[in-house]
Amino acid sequence: MTTELPIRKPNRNRPEPLWHQTEQALRALIVQGDWKDGEQLPNETKLTDMLGVSRITLRHALRRLEEAGLLRREHGRGTFVRRSTIVAGIRGLTSFTDEMANLGETIGTRATEAIEMPADEEVAEALQLQPGDQVIRLRRLRLGNGNPMGIQTAYLPTARVPGLLPITGELPSLYNLLRDRYGIVPTEAEELYRVGTILPEDAALLEQPAGSPAFIVRRTTFDAHGPFEHVQSTMRADRYEIRSKLFY
């Protein structure tokens, strides 16, 4: 790896702590693509020389970037870029769009299907409907920097979103659309994660062999009037991780 990078050295005359400036300088290299997915970072000696900071300051910055899901450290091997990774855990009620924006990713969504159909038992129970009630099924391929991250299939009660169909082309944030057009503002959600595999019908879209590991996620989201969205997601295991902070 070359060390001739457009790195922004921390300035000791600035009010921000050196570790924060160091973190921002390293983050910029990742977000701008100067360091690619999977690329190994220079060792600590080279990084401290490049940045003009101490090892303690550097390690603090690296630890924060690791916690943000942008780096991974492998014992005995070094530190590697881990972009295009969503870190799920303790967080606010955010959309995929928000999560990717927080990582500095270029967001992409392809509406692979948008139809009206009768709710099956699982969807009806989640949305507090009767089986057979009409719902909008919105199946989307989610992208981060052009890379497939997962397939999400959202179900919305037709009665809550009249006139939503047809949907063509690339979608904006669904939550923003629901808020602006229907006044639906999410207040809470329930999520369930389990380990699964990529189904044959999803393999081509996700650019992974069928049977590859995946996270299977179920989310039901509520607003002040009750559940308005039930989402079934298949997320690539190599680009999604769950991290929790435990308190005593």
Side-chain angles (χ1 to χ4, degrees), residues 18-208:
L18 284 177
W19 64 262
H20 178 72
Q21 295 184 54
T22 302
E23 177 190 345
Q24 294 304 308
L26 297 175
R27 181 185 289 266
L29 293 177
I30 298 171
V31 171
Q32 292 164 184
D34 296 300
W35 285 341
K36 310 295 184 186
D37 283 5
E39 190 170 346
Q40 184 174 11
L41 270 63
N43 61 36
E44 287 188 357
T45 300
K46 290 182 179 176
L47 283 175
T48 54
D49 289 344
M50 291 166 60
L51 291 155
V53 298
S54 68
R55 284 178 183 264
I56 292 176
T57 298
L58 174 67
R59 288 173 180 173
H60 190 171
L62 291 174
R63 184 169 62 251
R64 288 181 58 85
L65 291 170
E66 184 183 18
E67 291 173 352
L70 295 177
L71 297 177
R72 71 174 190 278
R73 292 203 240 188
E74 298 184 8
H75 183 68
R77 294 194 63 218
T79 303
F80 298 82
V81 176
R82 190 174 188 176
R83 290 197 70 207
S84 302
T85 301
I86 299 175
V87 180
I90 297 174
R91 65 192 198 278
L93 176 48
T94 56
S95 67
F96 176 87
T97 303
D98 295 329
E99 291 174 339
M100 298 305 292
N102 290 337
L103 290 174
E105 297 276 344
T106 301
I107 304 154
T109 298
R110 293 181 200 150
T112 55
E113 183 182 59
I115 62 171
E116 186 173 12
M117 60 179 289
D120 61 22
E121 289 190 4
E122 177 188 337
V123 172
E125 181 178 354
L127 294 176
Q128 299 178 10
L129 301 173
Q130 295 298 316
D133 284 352
Q134 292 296 296
V135 293
I136 303 296
R137 181 178 189 266
L138 187 58
R139 185 171 185 264
R140 297 171 292 169
L141 172 65
R142 315 310 298 266
L143 309 169
N145 281 354
N147 300 311
M149 307 292 289
I151 294 175
Q152 295 184 322
T153 303
Y155 296 89
L156 309 168
T158 299
R160 296 288 309 270
V161 290
L164 180 63
L165 299 182
I167 294 175
T168 58
E170 188 161 321
L171 287 174
S173 165
L174 179 61
Y175 283 3
N176 288 346
L177 185 151
L178 294 175
R179 180 197 61 209
D180 296 343
R181 189 180 297 181
Y182 302 102
I184 295 175
V185 178
T187 56
E188 63 181 39
E190 297 173 354
E191 280 189 334
L192 172 67
Y193 297 83
R194 65 179 174 81
V195 176
T197 58
I198 294 175
L199 298 175
E201 58 265 35
D202 295 331
L205 280 175
L206 292 175
E207 299 179 4
Q208 288 284 284

